[in-house]
Amino acid sequence: MLLTPEDERMLAGEQGPAVAAALELLVRYGELMGAERLVDTDNVCGANLFGPRHSRVLGTTDPAALFSRYSLDLDTTVDVPPFRAHSCTQVIGPRDRDRWEIQGITREDADAMEESERYLAEKGVDLLSTCTPYQVGNVPRFGEHCAWMESSAVVYINSVLGARTNTEGRESSAASMLTGRTPYCGYHLDEHRRATHLVEVRHPVVTTEDWNILGYWVGEQVQDAVPVLTGPGLLDPAGAPTPVRLKQFGAAAASSGDVEMYHLPGVTPEARSVAEALGGRDAASVSVFDAAARAETVASLCRTATDREVDFVMIGCPHASLEQVREVARLLDGRRLADSTALWVFTPGALRTVAERSGYVAAIERAGGRVLSDTCPAIAQFLPPGTRVFATDSAKQAHYLPAIMGVQGWFGSVRSCVTAALDGRWPDA
């Protein structure tokens, strides 16, 4: 790999052992990825908060030791200087900062997580603790080279914003925080950002639920390729691809497949037409989304569900927008949840503050629900006690949570989910 003089100085240890370890890690990673060089980045989002699962393995809660081992792949603890790149915690953590008691977390573990947060903040990390940093101020500019984790965030900024990132891991994002560098490969390069597969959407895509379903189906069809979408099903004005719908679409496509970028001509910024998206090449395949494909996808998303009695309703994967929180509050309309059913809405902490001031949190809590932030059931692996069956408006959560937590899962619209929370039962078709 071609290194700059500054890279060589970092690798030689002139900025300390942590920076040297970080640069060495990026070189190993870049060579594995076929990168010829590194590129500057000043926008890094990573997962360097540490919880009980990390500390118990090493037998310590010392943040420096945990960072050295898990983020830098070192066997010894090194002094870590302030981070060079603008950095934030992106992948959500194991606890809600203010409501951790309802997760069953002990005071000892909560204090250890707090210590980990303080450590990162002292290094210059913005503690956003959300899978949607772009909803709370970190909006990369078009063409900006980033180093972001979290599949739904990566596909969003690559596709909707036109920023450039691969799906990074804990180690590579930490290394980029310390060095301001990332391997110049994959979706940083023009040639990998062109569409490879064509998707013809013939069934109308109108609601946010529809965009979830379409995304999940697209991911299954193209796997890790770059699709371009077209067709009459995308033309209904009521189904305009809003930021919320694109958030849900990308998250679903990245769950059933490994989609890191897509094109919607006239919507996403790097393709005004199908031909431009394909870059003059023929599509490797053409897939058709029709009524049958939609029905099969819905059945697949609900394949783990056999019991209609619902114990838990989860809204907010990826983290809910203010619009989605407001929708839940309005659908509850002053009614109370069924005694047997919990409703938890997950949103970024900054948006929860706005939702509180706007009265949405109070409306949800009067009904018996909760609004949480900084975490989610899949990442933190927690559910309300006794949960056997859950319901969600997120194709991503319907994909992951049954496998992670061994529960049954229903997928549907926000309205269907709120109805299930009020009645204690998934509504009949």
Side-chain angles (χ1 to χ4, degrees):
M1 182 181 288
L2 179 64
L3 299 181
T4 67
E6 177 68 8
D7 293 336
E8 296 282 8
R9 288 191 289 272
M10 285 191 280
L11 193 60
E14 291 187 12
Q15 296 182 26
V19 174
L23 204 291
E24 192 271 336
L25 189 153
L26 289 175
V27 170
R28 282 189 285 143
Y29 169 43
E31 289 176 343
L32 181 66
M33 296 291 289
E36 295 182 358
R37 62 184 177 90
L38 302 173
V39 65
D40 286 338
T41 179
D42 195 35
N43 193 328
V44 184
C45 294
N48 296 287
L49 291 174
F50 300 104
R53 284 178 294 183
H54 308 96
S55 59
R56 285 170 189 152
V57 171
L58 293 190
T60 180
T61 60
D62 175 30
L66 294 168
F67 189 90
S68 297
R69 178 66 184 91
Y70 287 112
S71 296
L72 295 177
D73 194 29
L74 293 173
D75 293 327
T76 58
T77 300
V78 297
D79 290 330
V80 176
F83 292 146
R84 181 170 180 168
H86 172 256
S87 305
C88 73
T89 53
Q90 174 187 12
V91 176
I92 47 191
R95 62 154 189 165
D96 181 300
R97 182 183 180 91
D98 301 316
R99 294 163 174 81
W100 48 267
E101 296 96 333
I102 71 171
Q103 297 177 232
I105 293 174
T106 66
R107 166 60 71 178
E108 180 183 12
D109 286 341
D111 289 345
M113 294 177 215
E114 181 77 18
E115 185 181 10
S116 180
E117 288 186 343
R118 283 197 300 270
Y119 177 81
L120 291 177
E122 289 169 358
K123 306 301 177 185
V125 177
D126 296 334
L127 299 175
L128 300 185
S129 297
T130 175
C131 53
T132 59
Y134 51 85
Q135 291 197 123
V136 289
N138 189 345
V139 184
R141 68 183 184 276
F142 180 83
E144 181 177 3
H145 293 286
C146 304
W148 279 34
M149 288 183 65
E150 216 288 319
S151 60
S152 74
V154 165
V155 68
Y156 189 93
I157 69 165
N158 271 333
S159 308
V160 180
L161 303 181
R164 300 190 171 208
T165 186
N166 297 311
T167 303
E168 300 298 341
R170 180 192 303 278
E171 299 83 359
S172 60
S173 62
S176 292
M177 289 176 179
L178 278 162
T179 63
R181 304 283 276 164
T182 192
Y184 188 57
C185 58
Y187 291 96
H188 292 281
L189 305 176
D190 289 344
E191 56 263 34
H192 295 302
R193 298 177 67 83
R194 301 188 185 103
T196 56
H197 292 59
L198 178 64
V199 174
E200 290 188 6
V201 183
R202 296 181 184 170
H203 189 276
V205 179
V206 180
T207 65
T208 302
E209 178 187 12
D210 292 336
W211 281 96
N212 266 280
I213 295 165
L214 176 62
Y216 198 79
W217 180 85
V218 167
E220 289 182 322
Q221 304 308 304
V222 307
Q223 293 299 301
D224 62 351
V226 180
V228 54
L229 283 72
T230 187
L234 298 172
L235 299 180
D236 190 323
T242 63
V244 168
R245 289 168 176 172
L246 295 175
K247 169 172 70 79
Q248 300 300 129
F249 169 84
S255 300
S256 59
D258 188 21
V259 176
E260 296 176 70
M261 184 167 182
Y262 61 85
H263 297 280
L264 278 169
V267 177
T268 54
E270 294 188 39
R272 291 164 292 184
S273 66
V274 170
E276 187 174 30
L278 289 166
R281 302 176 297 187
D282 292 332
S285 71
V286 179
S287 303
V288 176
F289 181 77
D290 54 19
R294 186 188 191 282
E296 291 168 3
T297 304
V298 172
S300 176
L301 286 165
C302 297
R303 64 187 177 275
T304 63
T306 56
D307 299 326
R308 288 194 171 271
E309 289 72 26
V310 172
D311 307 304
F312 171 49
V313 175
M314 186 272 185
I315 304 290
C317 177
H319 272 170
S321 68
L322 194 63
E323 170 190 337
Q324 291 172 293
V325 178
R326 181 178 65 240
E327 182 181 8
V328 173
R330 289 181 175 175
L331 286 170
L332 288 168
D333 193 27
R335 292 170 289 176
R336 288 285 302 177
L337 305 183
D339 291 340
S340 60
T341 308
L343 168 64
W344 290 355
V345 180
F346 294 83
T347 192
L351 293 188
R352 184 173 71 182
T353 298
V354 178
E356 287 173 343
R357 294 175 60 191
S358 303
Y360 308 144
V361 172
I364 292 169
E365 292 186 345
R366 279 196 302 269
R370 296 277 191 172
V371 179
L372 297 93
S373 63
D374 302 343
T375 189
C376 85
I379 292 293
Q381 298 183 18
F382 72 95
L383 295 169
T387 297
R388 294 176 51 255
V389 183
F390 86 105
T392 182
D393 69 325
S394 164
K396 177 175 182 175
Q397 199 74 189
H399 178 87
Y400 284 117
L401 200 60
I404 292 172
M405 299 300 291
V407 292
Q408 299 178 37
W410 291 100
F411 162 80
S413 66
V414 174
R415 181 176 292 277
S416 293
C417 289
V418 171
T419 297
L422 291 167
D423 296 344
R425 179 179 175 82
W426 186 250
D428 295 328

